[in-house]
Amino acid sequence: MSSKNKQSFMNRFIAFMEKYFEPVAARIEKQRHISSIKNGMIALISVLIIGSFSLIISAIGNMFPAGSVVKEFFVQNAAALNLPFQFTFGLLSIYAAITISYSHAKQMKVPVLHSVMAAVMVTLILNTKMVEGVLNTEFLDSRGLFIAIFAALISVELIGLFIRKNITIRIKGLPAGIATTFEAIIPLVVLLFSAVGLSILMQSVTSGQIIPEAFTTMLAPAINSIDTPYAVFLICFLEMLFWFIGLNGYAILIGFVLPFMTQYLGANAAAYAAGEPIPHVFAPNFWDYFMGFSGSGITGALVILALFSKSRELKAVGKVSVVPAIFTISEPVVFGLPICFNPYLFIPFVLGTPILAVGQWFVFHFGWVRPPIANVGGTPIPLAQYLATMDWRAIILIIFVLAAAVCMYYPFFKMYEKSLIKEETVVSERQAAHDALDLDF
């Protein structure tokens, strides 16, 4: 097919999607809850960038040989170097509760400060528990993000409902700030005791597990093997679906998948040492550096598209996401572009990524590239792909995968880009009209 015919086909496909898919996506995008989630996720990008770069700094030590001075420095100071990551990604659900509740409160025109306080309070109650007298906060990371999203939305909606129905404490003659505080007391009390009651109920029926913990446990796959194309598709599909709704799909599924992958890696390493055929594909670095090449969802393709975008917003996200993508960190794109709750990107991200993952599985299965025989976590691409397989063909593979992902995302990205450019044009026109007034007081 000539380049002209390819371009004509792509234009027809984009026109088809714009006619039938874009109107539906646009309506979904403007729904108030989806809009608040999207805006709240975009506001998280600064925290995510800081956390991503701190993780990259911590991972530098993995690039040096054992026993070297640099390696020893990173090993001895691992706890300190990991603190920025823990205080960003480790508390991601709290930051999400703040940003989403703020966005939703502004949209619903309810008191912002008390909405944020309520969202954080409910998120803390539902994502933590007391263990031997100590508050366990391990689920305040991305695993608690789903709870934070609903806590933020429900808190704002309830406060707004109570204010509209006059179910508040109102005392005449008080200053506005104090009066607003009294108005928030009843909905805050309702939210507090409802969240505590829900947490107690969940722990009583799950032998002490809180909601995100029970959610994770119930997702354990009842399968004996994951080294099949069907399992690869299912696991990748679930991971992308979780990412799309704001959950770290990798963190949720890794606990169930890791025992299998570790076993496969041991068998692969032993076979490689003995000069025998490599028996398994789904070793740890298959997920990290091939199925999740450049970040979950192969988000490096979106980084490339964003770098050449006509939208100022998308181009800015692309620029700050380049380095994280090299270290397979997808959060700046997932939450910054965003992909999360973005109907324009649902099809390629949730459905297209598993297809690419299965295609790579077959490439390894047929022996066209050696399957992973080592775990090289924290190493940047493309060095990671080579070291994980000790096969230079792995680098060629990821080039083809990246190209396929760019083609896969392109028509959907262009639709999303078009919607953003329209918004940016409206803002620019308003600013130009304001500047033309030349108001000078």
Side-chain angles (χ1 to χ4, degrees):
M1 185 182 293
S2 66
S3 60
K4 185 177 181 180
N5 290 336
K6 288 181 180 178
Q7 186 176 5
S8 176
F9 172 78
M10 187 61 73
N11 289 337
R12 290 198 301 270
F13 181 68
I14 291 175
F16 173 82
M17 295 299 290
E18 286 179 344
K19 182 178 180 180
Y20 297 103
F21 179 75
E22 184 176 17
V24 176
R27 285 196 295 270
I28 295 173
E29 186 181 33
K30 291 178 181 177
Q31 200 276 336
R32 74 172 190 267
H33 299 98
I34 299 296
S35 177
S36 294
I37 294 170
K38 175 186 172 182
N39 293 333
M41 290 298 183
I42 291 175
L44 282 176
I45 191 168
S46 58
V47 174
L48 296 169
I49 291 172
I50 295 170
S52 297
F53 277 102
S54 68
L55 182 61
I56 291 169
I57 292 172
S58 300
I60 290 175
N62 294 325
M63 301 172 60
F64 292 86
S68 65
V69 175
V70 176
K71 178 73 171 182
E72 289 301 313
F73 171 82
F74 278 90
V75 170
Q76 294 173 10
N77 296 278
L81 291 170
N82 199 40
L83 281 177
F85 179 79
Q86 294 299 329
F87 282 110
T88 50
F89 282 79
L91 297 174
L92 196 59
S93 64
I94 296 298
Y95 298 123
I98 294 171
T99 58
I100 294 172
S101 61
Y102 175 87
S103 177
H104 202 50
K106 295 282 282 187
Q107 185 177 188
M108 297 292 293
K109 295 180 172 57
V110 301
V112 173
L113 178 61
H114 296 95
S115 297
V116 172
M117 290 171 59
V120 171
M121 178 181 69
V122 174
T123 300
L124 282 170
I125 292 170
L126 297 180
N127 283 343
T128 63
K129 63 179 178 179
M130 299 299 296
V131 179
E132 298 180 355
V134 178
L135 187 66
N136 185 328
T137 62
E138 65 176 303
F139 285 94
L140 290 179
D141 57 10
S142 58
R143 290 172 294 179
L145 195 57
F146 192 68
I147 300 299
I149 290 172
F150 280 93
L153 296 177
I154 292 172
S155 296
V156 174
E157 292 283 349
L158 187 67
I159 291 174
L161 176 64
F162 274 48
I163 291 176
R164 290 195 300 273
K165 299 296 184 181
N166 292 320
I167 310 175
T168 59
I169 299 174
R170 292 185 175 176
I171 303 175
K172 293 183 179 179
L174 290 176
I178 299 176
T180 302
T181 298
F182 275 95
E183 284 185 350
I185 288 177
I186 293 179
L188 282 173
V189 168
V190 172
L191 285 167
L192 171 65
F193 284 98
S194 298
V196 169
L198 180 60
S199 181
I200 292 174
L201 177 63
M202 177 58 69
Q203 292 182 58
S204 65
V205 300
T206 59
S207 301
Q209 293 184 333
I210 54 178
I211 295 177
E213 189 176 9
F215 181 62
T216 301
T217 301
M218 289 186 293
L219 286 173
I223 54 178
N224 294 320
S225 173
I226 62 168
D227 198 17
T228 68
Y230 308 105
V232 168
F233 184 92
L234 177 61
I235 291 168
C236 189
F237 171 79
L238 290 175
E239 182 194 4
M240 297 306 107
L241 187 61
F242 286 134
W243 274 115
F244 188 81
I245 62 175
L247 287 165
N248 187 328
Y250 183 89
I252 291 173
L253 297 172
I254 190 64
F256 315 126
V257 180
L258 187 59
F260 293 101
M261 293 195 300
T262 303
Q263 178 183 353
Y264 299 155
L265 179 63
N268 286 1
Y272 180 72
E276 300 172 354
I278 309 301
H280 297 291
V281 175
F282 208 164
N285 283 168
F286 171 75
W287 191 348
D288 299 334
Y289 292 122
F290 294 96
M291 194 167 84
F293 166 58
S294 73
S296 297
I298 314 183
T299 49
L302 285 171
V303 173
I304 293 174
L305 291 171
L307 287 173
F308 295 96
S309 174
K310 297 177 182 178
S311 165
R312 295 188 299 272
E313 180 180 330
L314 292 177
K315 182 168 288 189
V317 173
K319 288 178 180 178
V320 300
S321 302
V322 171
V323 176
I326 293 173
F327 285 83
T328 67
I329 296 170
S330 58
E331 280 86 349
V333 179
V334 172
F335 299 121
L337 198 68
I339 296 172
C340 180
F341 287 97
N342 187 335
Y344 290 97
L345 299 175
F346 176 86
I347 290 177
F349 186 75
V350 177
L351 301 177
T353 304
I355 294 174
L356 291 179
V358 171
Q360 293 183 82
W361 186 90
F362 278 111
V363 169
F364 288 115
H365 180 71
F366 290 133
W368 298 335
V369 179
R370 180 186 295 119
I373 48 88
N375 194 329
V376 292
T379 306
I381 60 175
L383 182 62
Q385 282 77 14
Y386 172 73
L387 294 177
T389 61
M390 298 304 292
D391 188 345
W392 60 268
R393 294 173 297 181
I395 298 176
I396 297 176
L397 170 62
I398 61 171
I399 292 173
F400 277 101
V401 170
L402 184 60
V406 169
C407 294
M408 175 185 73
Y409 277 116
Y410 179 79
F412 304 93
F413 177 87
K414 296 303 287 185
M415 284 189 292
Y416 180 48
E417 178 189 54
K418 184 178 178 181
S419 72
L420 290 183
I421 290 174
K422 287 181 180 178
E423 294 177 6
E424 292 172 359
T425 302
V426 171
V427 172
S428 297
E429 290 174 352
R430 289 177 180 172
Q431 184 62 43
H434 179 271
D435 294 341
L437 294 175
D438 193 24
L439 298 177
D440 187 10
F441 298 100

